[in-house]
């Protein structure tokens, strides 16, 4: 099993969710986060005063999938979330060593995907 962690622009969330549902992803966790990368923030003017915004809003997706689906899921996220602008996000693919469904005690692939 693989854990795919993606940080994307918040307004791309619905499009990414629809694309993942279309390829068979059955669930994901979503968290609102803030961060910076190459773009390293920007300045904004509020009531005549200039403020530095160092951390920009992003959405973090966490998706557990079978290993054979990981590349397909990564490609789907990248193709839908890509705007071509700095700040589109990142995708990380990690191995899952162990998983447990708390309600039933199931372990392994069935605990995550079933």
């Amino acid at each position: 099993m693989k854990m795919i962690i993606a940080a994307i622009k918040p307004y791309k969330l619905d499009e990414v969710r629809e694309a993942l549902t279309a390829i068979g992803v059955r669930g994901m966790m979503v968290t609102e986060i803030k961060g910076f990368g190459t773009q390293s923030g920007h300045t904004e003017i509020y009531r005549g005063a200039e403020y530095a915004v160092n951390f920009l809003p992003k959405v973090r997706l966490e998706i557990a999938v079978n290993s054979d689906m990981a590349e397909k899921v990564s490609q789907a996220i990248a193709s839908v979330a890509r705007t071509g602008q700095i700040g589109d996000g990142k995708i990380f693919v990690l191995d899952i060593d162990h998983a447990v469904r708390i309600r039933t005690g199931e372990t392994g692939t069935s605990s995550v995907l079933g």
Side-chain angles (χ1 to χ4, degrees):
M1 289 186 301
K2 300 285 184 180
M3 174 65 75
I4 298 171
I5 300 172
I8 63 171
K9 292 182 176 185
Y11 68 88
K12 288 292 192 172
L13 177 59
D14 286 335
E15 290 178 65
V16 169
R17 184 192 54 77
E18 289 171 8
L20 293 176
T21 301
I23 62 169
V25 172
R26 296 183 56 188
M28 72 176 77
M29 293 179 278
V30 178
T31 310
E32 292 180 4
I33 61 171
K34 291 184 179 191
F36 74 93
T38 305
Q39 68 199 105
S40 64
H42 62 278
T43 58
E44 290 184 1
I45 297 176
Y46 178 71
R47 294 189 180 197
E50 190 171 301
Y51 293 92
V53 179
N54 295 318
F55 295 97
L56 301 173
K58 302 288 181 189
V59 175
R60 175 182 168 131
L61 308 177
E62 296 177 71
I63 308 155
V65 296
N66 279 323
S67 296
D68 59 345
M69 282 283 293
E71 186 63 29
K72 190 174 185 180
V73 169
S74 294
Q75 288 175 353
I77 294 169
S79 66
V80 173
R82 181 177 296 119
T83 67
Q85 303 297 313
I86 292 174
D88 277 349
K90 297 275 190 287
I91 300 171
F92 304 99
V93 181
L94 311 167
D95 288 323
I96 296 176
D97 291 332
H98 186 72
V100 178
R101 183 182 303 247
I102 295 172
R103 179 178 54 87
T104 63
E106 291 172 273
T107 60
T109 303
S110 63
S111 69
V112 175
L113 308 173

